[in-house]
Amino acid sequence: MKTMEWRDKGLDLLDQTGLPQAVRYIRCTSAEDVADAIRTMKVRGAPAIGAAAAYGLVLGTISLECGEQAEFIRETEKTANMLGSTRPTAVNLFWALERMVKAARMAGVEKPAEIKELLLKEANNIFREDLEMNKKIGMYGNKLVPNKAGILTHCNAGALATAGYGTALGVIRAAHEQGKEIHVYADETRPLLQGARLTAWELMQDSIPVTLITDNMAGYVMKKGLINLAVVGADRITANGDVANKIGTYTVAVLCKEHGIPFYVAAPGSTIDMGLESGEDIIIEERNPEEVTGIAGHLTAPEGVRVLNPAFDVTPNSLVTAIITDRGIIRPPYKDNLKKHYNKEGNNGLYNKGYKACTVRETKNRLGKGTHAGSE
Amino acid sequence: MKTMEWRDKGLDLLDQTGLPQAVRYIRCTSAEDVADAIRTMKVRGAPAIGAAAAYGLVLGTISLECGEQAEFIRETEKTANMLGSTRPTAVNLFWALERMVKAARMAGVEKPAEIKELLLKEANNIFREDLEMNKKIGMYGNKLVPNKAGILTHCNAGALATAGYGTALGVIRAAHEQGKEIHVYADETRPLLQGARLTAWELMQDSIPVTLITDNMAGYVMKKGLINLAVVGADRITANGDVANKIGTYTVAVLCKEHGIPFYVAAPGSTIDMGLESGEDIIIEERNPEEVTGIAGHLTAPEGVRVLNPAFDVTPNSLVTAIITDRGIIRPPYKDNLKKHYNKEGNNGLYNKGYKACTVRETKNRLGKGTHAGSE
């Protein structure tokens, strides 16, 4: 099962809104096709969105007939801005688009045909690098998984959220590949049910034993002694080791503390934002109330009820046992140990400042420093 | 809004499966009508089921033409057993039916017509006493609610689960009636969404400010400082103060501990089972997997996925700040303080032994000792 595949001047995208009932691919042959797929969440998960947007930019420039470089770049930026307007929070989207536009600008060639080639190469690199980072996360994380472990996970930080293999599910995949007899408990993850729809499905595809539970059963399964560790993805990790991730992650971490269960966060280094001191600096996106008042279009709550719908919560570093990155396992004190692996030139608040790709011409190359996230 | 009403030789039952979209009453004119309503969860919540079953027995005997007492009682027992087979766990069902059959047996009159009158009187008593107990719980519980309190609740321990007023929601109602500017945060309570469908609706009917959240947002709202106390109902409280209640209650209690927020349980004394030493003795009912894999008939998970679906969890006494009963507020140490208010003749494991009303002829009068519960 592939989340996306570049094939014959088009992008095949697995339509995640149809999962798990329908496994269907949509064919994108224009930047608009890709923008629509991101907007309607046919593709979701920050790294997956980033890679899709990069290919979207390739599609947007593929048919440009303009003869000179300056004009070509202007058109490329225009398309990038259009793609960047599809989702407000996924930093990886802006990061990937910026990286693409930068590649075009720095091409050092005059012929658009050559720049087009460079753009496809860059999109392929973004895709391939994400996959490689996930494999490394899996390799390191596997060391933390005992044989016969019961593993709790939340949301979908899997192959479906990335170029492949996944972050939290990458750790689980690696342990399974090593022959460990693990059993995964997947929180269904309300409101959008990524755990039920995507994680359970993805693990079943790979024959990894999984049991689906509602979010409020996590405490029950821990108290029953069924869980040996929890592993989740991240949307952003600040310099002190605080972790922003899908709503409900914080509750899982508190439950782990109560039961003496290790709580791990799996994320590529690019998720670590050394420019933000702590999780308190992160603005939490509030999403559409209809996600809470209904399920799959079916209204389940009284009309007009007041609703809270934060998309993320912040887990304080004190609850995080270790962060599993593509550069190794990082343990507390995070402030010191994150610094050893990641320099100061992190995201620098990209996420909070409503940053848009290609609108700032003079930014430094952020290659590898955007937010890769393991969930929405 | 009334959960049920006896009127003109029939029982009007609010069909809770249609809530909150449709407020419709069904008219029950036979014991079978009531049995069907319980089985299909048109009426739910242990005390509400108990009261409905009592009226069901009235309906089942109302048209009996048998001339002598012994035959009348045999028929009454038969109908009670039929009604008792509708739901396996709600102890209040068995308790109410036993109380009714006992009333018939001890009638001391020979004429079925007079026994019929006594049965209706007893059903009315069961209904009225439940309402009165809830009012007392509200009166005591109100003392624990500061003005402008943010209150978290889980599932529906409200008027809809009882003869009226509610247990946990009785406390909230009382505080609201006293003019306190409270704000309720209602966990939606997966899998059956009693919080979204019933609690939010019930509170909105009474103009009590309520915000609906998914279960996994409880930690978030606590961390934001929005919650001053949590109050929930109970399905059974053991002699040491352990509390069995709707799945997810335990997680709420753990979150309260982490945030230093008081966690209260509101329940009538009849919920307290002095015959069970601790929550470890309680068998947890495992329900239909389809409740987890879908919502309102809409499949949201992969077909064939393994599922856990415990209906309840047990919150250890160490996490319970106080138990609000109709006899006052009980605080730790529960083993001693529960004994002061409730004698040793409690439920005696009724819940776990698969006890059925009317099958044991020689049991003592359990009046007031069955399990009144605030949830399913």
Side-chain angles (χ1 to χ4, degrees):
Chain A
M1 177 269 306
K2 282 177 176 169
T3 306
M4 69 189 77
E5 187 172 23
W6 178 262
R7 180 176 61 80
D8 192 22
K9 294 189 181 173
L11 182 67
D12 292 336
L13 268 182
L14 177 59
D15 179 359
Q16 299 193 30
T17 60
L19 291 176
Q21 275 70 39
V23 181
R24 62 172 176 252
Y25 283 80
I26 52 165
R27 176 118 182 117
C28 300
T29 55
S30 71
E32 285 73 20
D33 286 351
V34 175
D36 184 68
I38 297 172
R39 209 178 284 118
T40 57
M41 293 180 72
K42 289 187 179 68
V43 61
R44 35 64 61 191
I49 288 173
Y55 285 118
L57 199 59
V58 173
L59 289 170
T61 54
I62 218 162
S63 54
L64 279 182
E65 293 294 350
C66 41
E68 63 170 282
Q69 191 188 11
E71 195 192 338
F72 183 89
I73 298 222
R74 268 197 304 279
E75 287 299 317
T76 303
E77 287 170 354
K78 227 167 104 179
T79 307
N81 279 327
M82 184 277 290
L83 283 162
S85 70
T86 50
R87 287 287 300 274
T89 307
V91 174
N92 219 60
L93 171 64
F94 312 132
W95 165 83
L97 289 168
E98 179 166 319
R99 182 168 155 181
M100 292 289 286
V101 172
K102 181 102 7 194
R105 282 191 203 125
M106 295 170 79
V109 288
E110 293 295 319
K111 290 177 194 159
E114 288 172 40
I115 307 179
K116 286 178 191 179
E117 257 176 60
L118 274 169
L119 282 177
L120 178 57
K121 204 175 149 191
E122 194 70 4
N124 284 333
N125 283 345
I126 287 171
F127 181 86
R128 185 181 40 76
E129 287 167 20
D130 187 61
L131 186 59
E132 282 167 8
M133 284 193 288
N134 293 341
K135 291 269 173 93
K136 282 183 191 163
I137 288 169
M139 184 191 73
Y140 289 119
N142 168 52
K143 296 175 190 167
L144 298 170
V145 181
N147 193 22
K148 298 183 192 264
I151 306 174
L152 186 84
T153 190
H154 189 74
C155 198
N156 175 262
L160 290 166
T162 60
Y165 207 70
T167 53
L169 297 196
V171 173
I172 285 166
R173 276 202 169 82
H176 180 71
E177 285 166 6
Q178 293 297 310
K180 292 179 185 171
E181 295 168 36
I182 54 172
H183 192 104
V184 180
Y185 291 82
D187 276 356
E188 66 173 6
T189 318
R190 279 282 284 152
L192 291 180
L193 298 170
Q194 293 92 339
R197 295 192 304 107
L198 308 179
T199 295
W201 182 78
E202 188 179 322
L203 294 176
M204 286 169 81
Q205 294 293 307
D206 281 3
S207 302
I208 300 174
V210 56
T211 295
L212 177 65
I213 58 173
T214 61
D215 299 313
N216 61 18
M217 292 173 194
Y220 174 85
V221 294
M222 287 187 191
K223 195 151 165 274
K224 291 278 268 186
L226 298 172
I227 307 297
N228 301 96
L229 63 104
V231 60
V232 299
D235 285 82
R236 171 175 290 218
I237 298 168
T238 53
N240 68 342
D242 289 351
V243 175
N245 192 44
K246 179 58 59 194
I247 186 73
T249 302
Y250 170 61
T251 292
V252 171
V254 170
L255 287 168
C256 281
K257 176 186 168 189
E258 174 74 10
H259 295 88
I261 294 168
F263 175 82
Y264 299 120
V265 176
S270 48
T271 304
I272 297 161
D273 184 351
M274 297 301 282
L276 281 188
E277 271 186 37
S278 87
E280 283 167 33
D281 302 330
I282 300 175
I283 294 163
I284 301 295
E285 178 194 357
E286 180 83 13
R287 290 177 60 87
N288 192 333
E290 286 170 15
E291 293 179 357
V292 173
T293 55
I295 288 168
H298 181 93
L299 186 70
T300 53
E303 271 190 64
V305 68
R306 203 182 278 117
V307 161
L308 268 186
N309 189 16
F312 309 100
D313 58 27
V314 174
T315 300
N317 56 17
S318 59
L319 298 177
V320 179
T321 309
I323 300 169
I324 307 164
T325 76
D326 56 298
R327 295 188 195 173
I329 295 162
I330 299 176
R331 294 193 180 264
Y334 292 113
K335 210 170 168 179
D336 297 338
N337 292 340
L338 282 171
K339 222 181 253 173
K340 281 179 202 161
H341 287 80
Y342 301 97
N343 61 26
K344 263 258 162 201
E345 297 155 22
N347 261 319
N348 288 313
L350 203 62
Y351 181 92
N352 279 336
K353 287 175 188 161
Y355 178 87
K356 285 200 174 158
C358 319
T359 53
V360 182
R361 286 207 168 240
E362 299 313 313
T363 49
K364 283 181 194 160
N365 190 339
R366 291 173 185 278
L367 195 117
K369 305 241 175 60
T371 291
H372 282 254
S375 62
E376 297 298 338
Chain B
M1 175 267 308
K2 283 176 177 171
T3 306
M4 68 189 79
E5 187 172 21
W6 178 262
R7 181 177 60 81
D8 193 22
K9 293 188 182 173
L11 183 67
D12 293 336
L13 267 182
L14 177 59
D15 179 359
Q16 300 193 30
T17 60
L19 291 176
Q21 274 70 40
V23 182
R24 62 172 174 252
Y25 283 81
I26 51 164
R27 175 116 182 119
C28 300
T29 55
S30 70
E32 283 73 21
D33 285 353
V34 175
D36 184 67
I38 296 172
R39 209 179 282 118
T40 57
M41 293 180 71
K42 289 187 177 69
V43 60
R44 36 64 61 191
I49 288 172
Y55 285 118
L57 199 59
V58 173
L59 290 170
T61 54
I62 218 163
S63 54
L64 280 182
E65 294 294 349
C66 40
E68 62 170 282
Q69 194 189 8
E71 194 192 336
F72 183 90
I73 299 221
R74 269 197 304 279
E75 287 299 316
T76 303
E77 287 171 355
K78 228 168 103 179
T79 307
N81 278 328
M82 184 277 289
L83 283 160
S85 70
T86 50
R87 287 287 298 275
T89 307
V91 174
N92 219 58
L93 172 62
F94 312 131
W95 166 83
L97 290 169
E98 179 167 319
R99 183 168 156 181
M100 292 290 285
V101 172
K102 181 99 11 194
R105 282 192 204 125
M106 295 170 82
V109 287
E110 292 297 319
K111 292 177 195 157
E114 287 172 40
I115 308 179
K116 286 179 191 178
E117 256 176 58
L118 275 168
L119 282 177
L120 178 56
K121 204 175 149 189
E122 193 69 5
N124 284 333
N125 283 345
I126 287 171
F127 182 85
R128 186 181 39 77
E129 286 168 20
D130 187 61
L131 186 59
E132 282 167 8
M133 284 193 289
N134 293 341
K135 290 270 173 92
K136 282 184 191 161
I137 288 169
M139 184 190 72
Y140 289 119
N142 169 51
K143 296 174 190 167
L144 298 171
V145 181
N147 192 22
K148 298 183 191 262
I151 305 174
L152 186 83
T153 190
H154 189 73
C155 197
N156 176 262
L160 290 166
T162 60
Y165 207 69
T167 53
L169 297 197
V171 172
I172 285 166
R173 275 201 170 83
H176 180 71
E177 284 165 8
Q178 293 297 311
K180 292 178 184 170
E181 294 168 38
I182 55 172
H183 193 105
V184 180
Y185 291 83
D187 276 356
E188 65 173 5
T189 318
R190 278 281 285 151
L192 291 180
L193 298 169
Q194 293 92 338
R197 296 192 304 106
L198 308 178
T199 294
W201 182 78
E202 189 180 322
L203 294 176
M204 286 168 82
Q205 294 292 307
D206 281 2
S207 301
I208 301 174
V210 57
T211 294
L212 177 65
I213 58 173
T214 61
D215 299 313
N216 61 18
M217 292 172 194
Y220 174 86
V221 294
M222 288 187 191
K223 194 150 167 273
K224 290 279 269 187
L226 298 172
I227 307 298
N228 301 95
L229 64 105
V231 59
V232 299
D235 285 81
R236 171 174 292 217
I237 298 168
T238 54
N240 68 342
D242 288 352
V243 175
N245 191 45
K246 178 58 58 198
I247 187 73
T249 302
Y250 170 62
T251 292
V252 172
V254 169
L255 287 168
C256 281
K257 177 185 168 188
E258 174 74 11
H259 296 87
I261 294 168
F263 176 81
Y264 299 119
V265 176
S270 47
T271 304
I272 297 160
D273 185 350
M274 296 300 282
L276 281 189
E277 272 187 37
S278 87
E280 282 168 32
D281 301 330
I282 300 175
I283 295 165
I284 301 294
E285 177 194 355
E286 180 83 13
R287 290 178 59 88
N288 191 333
E290 286 170 15
E291 293 179 359
V292 173
T293 55
I295 287 166
H298 182 94
L299 186 70
T300 53
E303 269 189 65
V305 67
R306 203 183 277 117
V307 161
L308 267 187
N309 189 14
F312 309 100
D313 57 28
V314 173
T315 300
N317 55 16
S318 59
L319 298 177
V320 180
T321 310
I323 300 170
I324 307 164
T325 76
D326 56 298
R327 296 188 194 171
I329 295 162
I330 300 176
R331 292 192 180 266
Y334 292 112
K335 210 170 170 180
D336 297 338
N337 292 340
L338 282 171
K339 224 182 250 171
K340 282 180 201 160
H341 287 81
Y342 301 96
N343 61 26
K344 264 257 159 201
E345 296 154 21
N347 261 319
N348 288 314
L350 203 64
Y351 182 93
N352 278 337
K353 287 176 188 160
Y355 178 88
K356 286 202 172 156
C358 318
T359 52
V360 183
R361 284 205 169 242
E362 300 312 313
T363 51
K364 286 184 192 155
N365 190 339
R366 290 174 186 277
L367 196 119
K369 307 245 172 57
T371 292
H372 284 253
S375 63
E376 296 299 337

